[in-house]
Amino acid sequence: MSGETRILIVDDERSMQEFLEIFCRGEGHSVETAGDVPEALLWLENDDFDVVITDMQMPGGTGLDVLRAAQSESPETVVVMITAFASTESAIQAMKHGAYDYITKPFKLDEIRVVVDKALEKKKLAAENQSLRTQLGAQIRQRAMIGASACMQDVFEMIGKVASAKANVLVTGESGTGKEIVARAVHASGERCDAPLVAINCSAIPENLIESELFGHMKGAFTGADQNKPGLFEVADGGTLFLDEVGELTLALQVKLLRVLQEKTIRRVGGNTDRAVDVRIVAATNQRLDEEVAKGTFREDLYYRLNVIEIPLPPLRQRADDIPLLVQHFVEKYSEELDKRIDCVSKPMLDRLMAYEFPGNVRELENIVERAVALTTTCTIDVDSLPPSVTQQSLATTEFKIPSEGVDLTRMIEEFEGRLLREALRNSGGVKKRAARMLGISFRSFRYRLEKLGIESERGTEG
Ligand SMILES: Nc1ncnc2c1ncn2[C@@H]1O[C@H](COP(=O)(O)OP(=O)(O)OP(=O)(O)O)[C@@H](O)[C@H]1O
Ligand SMILES: [Mg+2]
C-alpha cells in the first residue's frame, strides 16, 4: 500500500481519544477523531479511511452503527472495536458483523500497534492480490512485438531507454500501429513492472464518467455513487496509468488532469481531501496533438507534461519489410487459435500485401490474416482469401482520363470522399469512431466531413 495510512478514532472519552490519536500519529499515521456516532458517520461519509478504531458504547449510538456505516461507505475500510472487558460478547457480535478485530480495555499500546499493523497487512494483501490479477491479465495480453525494420529497431531501443526513467511518455502514431503494445512494453520493461498498469480509453467513456473513473468519487457525489470508490489514479499508484486516445479529453478534463500531474495529488469527486499518488503516465494518441494545441483544442501545458518523451510509431506502409514477419506471426497465432495447419503463404499473396497501403496498419494486417486463415481450405494461404479492399486496385495505379470539356475537380473529389465515408460507416456498423479510424482520420474530422457533405442527415447513426 502506498501513501499514508488514514485512521479514524471514535471514542466519547476525550482522554482515550487523545491518547489513541497521539499514539497513532507517533506511528506515522494520519488521524481524525470523532467524539460520538453522528460525528463519526459524518467523517465516514465525507472521507475515506484505511482503519477505523471505535469504542463500542457511546451516547447516541454504538460501535456497531459505526461499523455498518463504514461497511456501506467503503467496504475496504478495516474496523477495530474497543470494548470494556465486561462486554466482549458485544465485540464478538461486532466481529460477526464484519469488524476485523477487537481490543478490550484496559489495553497496552502494543496491542493497538499489533491490531493496526494486522489490519493494514490485510488491506495490503487485498491490494496485492488485485495487482497480481492485473499483472496476470497484462501478461496474458502482453504479446510479442514484431519488427525487424530499422525504424522499429529504433522504437525498441527507445522503449528500453525510457522504461526505467520516470518521465511521462507519449506514444503517437496512426490507428493500429501498435501504440497500446508499446505502452505495455514501456511498463513491463521498467522498474514499475511489479506495480499495476491500468489502462483507460478516454474516447470510450462518456465525458461525465471519466472524472470519477480517473479520480474516484465519494458516496453521494452524484446519482448512482452509492459507495466510495477509488479512481484509476489510486489503483495505479506506484505503477503506470495508460491514457489511451488522450486527445479526446475535453478541455475541462484536461485542466483537471494537468492539476494532478502538477500537484501529484488527486481529490475524489465529492471529496475534500487530497491524496498523494505516484503514477507514471503513458499516453497515446492518433491525433497530431501539436496541431490540436495550435487549434486551441488541446492545452499546451498539458501537452508538454505528457510529451516529455515521445515514441512515434511509423505507419506500416513505411516499414513494409516488417510485413512478412508480421504475417508469419499472425498466421501462427490464428492457425493455432483456429486449430488449422497452414504450411505457407503464397508469394503472390505476400507481394499483394507488401504493395498494399494498410490504412489500418498492423491491426488491419492482423484482421486480414485472421480472415485468410479462417477462409482457407488448404494448407496454403493465397490471394483468394484476401478481402476486396486489398485486392482492388489502389487509386495510385488507376489511370484517369480527363475529357476535353474538362471536369469539376471539387465535385469529383467530394463525390469520391462521400463514397468512402458511406462505405466506412457501413463497414463499421454506423459507429463513427470506428469509421473514422478506418479512414485514418480523427473522429472530429470525420464528423466535420459528414456534415460538410450532408451525410449526417441521411442516417440516424450514433457513436
Ligand atoms: N509490432 C507488432 N507486433 C505484433 N503485433 C502488433 C504489433 N503492432 C501492433 N500489433 C497488433 O496489432 C493490433 C493493434 O495494435 P494496438 O492496439 O497496439 O494499436 P493502436 O496503435 O493502439 O491502435 P488504435 O489507435 O486503433 O488504438 C493489436 O492486436 C496488436 O497486438
Ligand atoms: Mg489503441
Side-chain angles (χ1 to χ4, degrees), residues 176 178-181 201 242 244-245 284 363 437:
K179 296 185 292 295
E180 178 154 359
I181 285 208
N201 185 329
F242 174 45
D244 203 1
E245 313 220 13
R363 176 177 294 113
R437 213 175 286 156

Side-chain angles (χ1 to χ4, degrees), residues 23-41:
F23 172 73
C24 289
R25 279 199 208 285
E27 296 281 288
H29 308 313
S30 122
V31 181
E32 304 294 349
T33 57
D36 55 32
V37 172
E39 194 186 348
L41 300 196

Side-chain angles (χ1 to χ4, degrees), residues 125-146:
L125 273 178
E128 272 171 13
N129 281 342
Q130 178 63 42
S131 142
L132 270 179
R133 276 195 293 276
T134 319
Q135 276 173 51
L136 208 61
Q139 266 166 22
I140 291 165
R141 281 192 304 271
Q142 181 82 48
R143 298 175 205 130
M145 251 195 112
I146 310 291

Side-chain angles (χ1 to χ4, degrees), residues 3 106 109 136 263:
L109 282 180
L136 208 61
E263 323 255 310

Side-chain angles (χ1 to χ4, degrees), residues 327-336 342 345 369 373 381:
V327 168
Q328 189 192 341
H329 172 70
F330 292 133
V331 165
E332 277 165 17
K333 175 176 167 187
Y334 287 104
S335 54
E336 191 176 318
I342 310 284
V345 177
V369 172
V373 171
I381 302 188

Side-chain angles (χ1 to χ4, degrees), residues 226-246:
D226 48 9
Q227 280 192 344
N228 293 337
K229 184 169 168 278
L232 296 180
F233 266 96
E234 283 174 76
V235 179
D237 198 3
T240 308
L241 181 61
F242 174 45
L243 291 177
D244 203 1
E245 313 220 13
V246 73

